Structures are given as C-alpha cells and as structure tokens.
Amino acid sequence: MRLFQISTLTPTEIFNDGFSVGNKILNTQTNTLLFNFFSATFPLFFLIHSLGYKFTDILNDKLVVAEILTTLICTVGVILTVPITSFLVYHKANKVKLKKTDN
C-alpha cells in the first residue's frame, strides 16, 4: 500500500506549491508565537512596571531575556520549517520521478 500517489506535477511545481501552502501556514504560526509571547510576558511587564524598573534593569532581568530568546528561537524554527520541508518533498519527488523513468 502506498502512502501517497505519484502526481503529474513536476518536482519544481511540487516545491513551489509546497512553499505557497507553507507560507500560509507560516502566517498562522507567526500569530500564534506573537500571542504566546505577549500572554506570557504581560504579567511580567506589569510586575516590572509596578516595581518601577528602569530600562537597563529590564534588559538585565533573566526572565525577560529568557522570554525574548525563547520567542526568537521558536520564530527561527517556524521560519525554517517551510523551506526545509519543501526541499525534502522536492527531493523525494525527484527520487520517485527518476525511479519511475528508470523502470
């Protein structure tokens, strides 16, 4: 039993279509990351504001830096997911196409 059927699309068309769909998913994931960042840091910023921290104190706070780094690392991961997945599908489609033409 096959997990996928061989389409009539060329590997380049598969890559382009995958990249297009991936960009739409990327928009949704970006919103999710932003909402997660703001919901996680809102209480922290409220506490910092009520304690009267200065800007330099905020930059030196471990919790703030940890949240910012977590958000940046997750953003890089989400951004790299689309091209890597599109390339892997393109590579697999090329292998299937070459195997099909050899037989």
Side-chain angles (χ1 to χ4, degrees):
M1 183 171 130
R2 293 194 153 211
L3 296 176
F4 62 92
Q5 291 191 350
I6 300 171
S7 68
T8 58
L9 297 174
T10 66
T12 305
E13 291 172 331
I14 291 173
F15 178 80
N16 291 335
D17 288 347
F19 210 79
S20 173
V21 170
N23 282 333
K24 292 174 185 170
I25 293 171
L26 185 64
N27 292 334
T28 305
Q29 291 298 324
T30 303
N31 289 337
T32 303
L33 282 173
L34 287 175
F35 287 134
N36 182 36
F37 174 72
F38 288 124
S39 67
T41 56
F42 180 72
L44 181 63
F45 285 130
F46 183 70
L47 178 66
I48 287 172
H49 178 69
S50 65
L51 294 176
Y53 277 23
K54 296 177 184 164
F55 184 71
T56 54
D57 295 333
I58 294 171
L59 290 179
N60 287 328
D61 191 55
K62 290 180 195 176
L63 294 174
V64 173
V65 173
E67 285 296 327
I68 291 171
L69 286 176
T70 301
T71 303
L72 287 175
I73 291 169
C74 290
T75 302
V76 168
V78 167
I79 290 171
L80 289 178
T81 300
V82 173
I84 290 172
T85 304
S86 296
F87 174 75
L88 291 175
V89 170
Y90 168 79
H91 188 65
K92 180 71 174 175
N94 249 353
K95 279 186 176 180
V96 169
K97 195 98 168 165
L98 289 174
K99 191 181 286 186
K100 186 178 177 185
T101 56
D102 288 344
N103 290 335

